[in-house]
Amino acid sequence: MRTPHARLPLCADASRAAGEDPIGTAPHWQEVTVLELDVPVWAALRNVEAWTAEQRGLFEALRGKVEASGAGFGLLMAAPERPGQPLRVRHYVRGAGGFTRRDYVSGLPQTEWARGLSATLLHPERLRGGEWAEVPAPTGPDHHVCTHGTVDAACGKYGVPVHHALRGEGQRAWRTGHFGGHRFAATAVELPSGLLWAHLTPELAVRVARREVHPAQVRGHLRGFAGLPAPAQVLDRELLARHGWDWLSAERAARVEPGGEGAVRVTLSFVWKGARGSASALIREAEPLRLPGSSHKADLGAVRQYAVPDVWVADGEPSPA
């Protein structure tokens, strides 16, 4: 009789057991496009081998844009409330205090998702008339929870209950395709704040969404602010923990320079509550962890960890909350 293969532990369980600090793992985005796509279309978009020549050309152009400007972009696939709807897109652009949003609808089928990406990220002039119509965007946050269990079982196990809890409490939450970091399941992208979260539970997700907990208490669940590069996300978290949720309204920009002895110096300039200021810190790496990158492979990889920095703040910073 054949002995059954032992089931691998979920990568998210391994991450939590190791005490991984997720800060600095948020991608760095200057723009985000959210495509409202039915779940079966997610697999078609991810199937690179089946892409048309037009779709391949689109991603080549997007790669060229990133290489030329250094500006990354996010692509989120969110399941609409009613399946079978025409293609709808939400476009976010980096702005003061996070990202600004504009919504567009079309009569195109969802299989034309490449046109939505092309229009928002490469040819915004196409959004003015023609096959696209701008519609009013709702205010308030949207929570994009990865529930993509076919990519990693951890996101199915932990993401689905978090999505259900948020929806049950009246939050705008979306079943979302894989956007990276399944070892942080349940993981979520919060827009327009641009925060990415790790290891959420249903109860914690609701408390965070309602801002019923101080950010200092959930610092170990924050992957970072996607509007900044990874080392700057570390410094930004320290300021968020110091000042509370109001810090998210600050307009902030980062400069990252070599700091000597393997460190980098991050200077975060900000405009907040009418005051200009800057904060700086030497960001050093701590001892890395070795963790699985997937629930479906036993291979371990080095995972970067950051040491908690000392923060120096120039004149102009308002008093902590």
Side-chain angles (χ1 to χ4, degrees):
M1 184 174 66
R2 181 178 297 175
T3 302
H5 293 292
R7 177 175 295 179
L8 294 173
L10 296 179
C11 57
D13 292 343
S15 173
R16 281 194 299 272
E20 180 182 3
D21 185 347
I23 193 60
T25 64
H28 182 198
W29 293 333
Q30 295 298 323
E31 298 177 80
V32 185
T33 292
V34 181
L35 301 172
E36 292 192 17
L37 303 175
D38 296 337
V39 173
V41 184
W42 296 0
L45 191 154
R46 289 177 54 84
N47 185 7
V48 178
E49 298 300 321
W51 283 355
T52 66
E54 177 189 6
Q55 291 163 349
R56 291 180 185 278
L58 165 66
F59 280 95
E60 284 297 323
L62 288 172
R63 186 177 299 111
K65 174 182 177 178
V66 171
E67 291 174 352
S69 67
F73 66 90
L75 166 58
L76 301 177
M77 302 177 292
E81 294 186 6
R82 290 185 300 156
Q85 298 299 298
L87 182 62
R88 179 176 182 136
V89 300
R90 288 170 260 150
H91 186 220
Y92 293 83
V93 177
R94 180 81 162 86
F99 292 79
T100 57
R101 169 180 172 172
R102 302 183 81 165
D103 285 24
Y104 302 91
V105 297
S106 76
L108 297 169
Q110 294 179 17
T111 51
E112 296 294 336
W113 52 263
R115 293 200 198 181
L117 279 180
S118 179
T120 52
L121 297 176
L122 292 175
H123 300 287
E125 71 277 2
R126 297 177 182 173
L127 295 170
R128 295 187 287 272
E131 60 193 15
W132 296 98
E134 185 170 1
V135 294
T139 59
D142 287 85
H143 307 275
H144 293 88
V145 184
C146 183
T147 60
H148 210 160
T150 56
V151 173
D152 195 284
C155 293
K157 179 177 180 179
Y158 295 118
V160 171
V162 164
H163 172 259
H164 286 169
L166 288 167
R167 294 277 295 179
E169 293 298 326
Q171 299 294 323
R172 247 190 348 258
W174 302 83
R175 293 178 60 193
T176 306
H178 174 63
F179 49 77
H182 22 250
R183 72 176 186 274
F184 300 120
T187 182
V189 180
E190 178 187 309
L191 289 167
S193 71
L195 298 182
L196 272 79
W197 295 99
H199 298 151
L200 292 172
T201 64
E203 178 186 8
L204 180 59
V206 171
R207 294 185 69 199
V208 168
R210 290 176 172 173
R211 303 302 194 233
E212 293 177 346
V213 58
H214 194 279
Q217 296 173 275
V218 291
R219 57 182 295 136
H221 292 270
L222 184 60
R223 294 180 60 184
F225 168 45
L228 296 171
Q233 294 171 14
V234 182
L235 173 55
D236 187 65
R237 181 178 70 171
E238 298 307 303
L239 295 169
L240 176 62
R242 177 182 298 188
H243 295 293
W245 297 114
D246 282 350
W247 175 251
L248 297 180
S249 66
E251 179 180 355
R252 54 252 206 234
R255 185 173 71 252
V256 180
E257 304 168 300
E261 299 181 354
V264 294
R265 178 173 292 279
V266 175
T267 302
L268 197 64
S269 302
F270 58 83
V271 180
W272 188 42
K273 296 183 178 180
R276 292 182 178 273
S278 64
S280 63
L282 279 175
I283 307 297
R284 302 181 185 276
E285 292 188 21
E287 186 70 23
L289 299 174
R290 291 193 61 78
L291 293 171
S294 165
S295 298
H296 309 298
K297 295 181 181 179
D299 299 341
L300 301 181
V303 171
R304 177 180 293 155
Q305 295 285 270
Y306 292 99
V308 177
D310 293 324
V311 179
W312 297 272
V313 181
D315 291 339
E317 184 186 28
S319 301

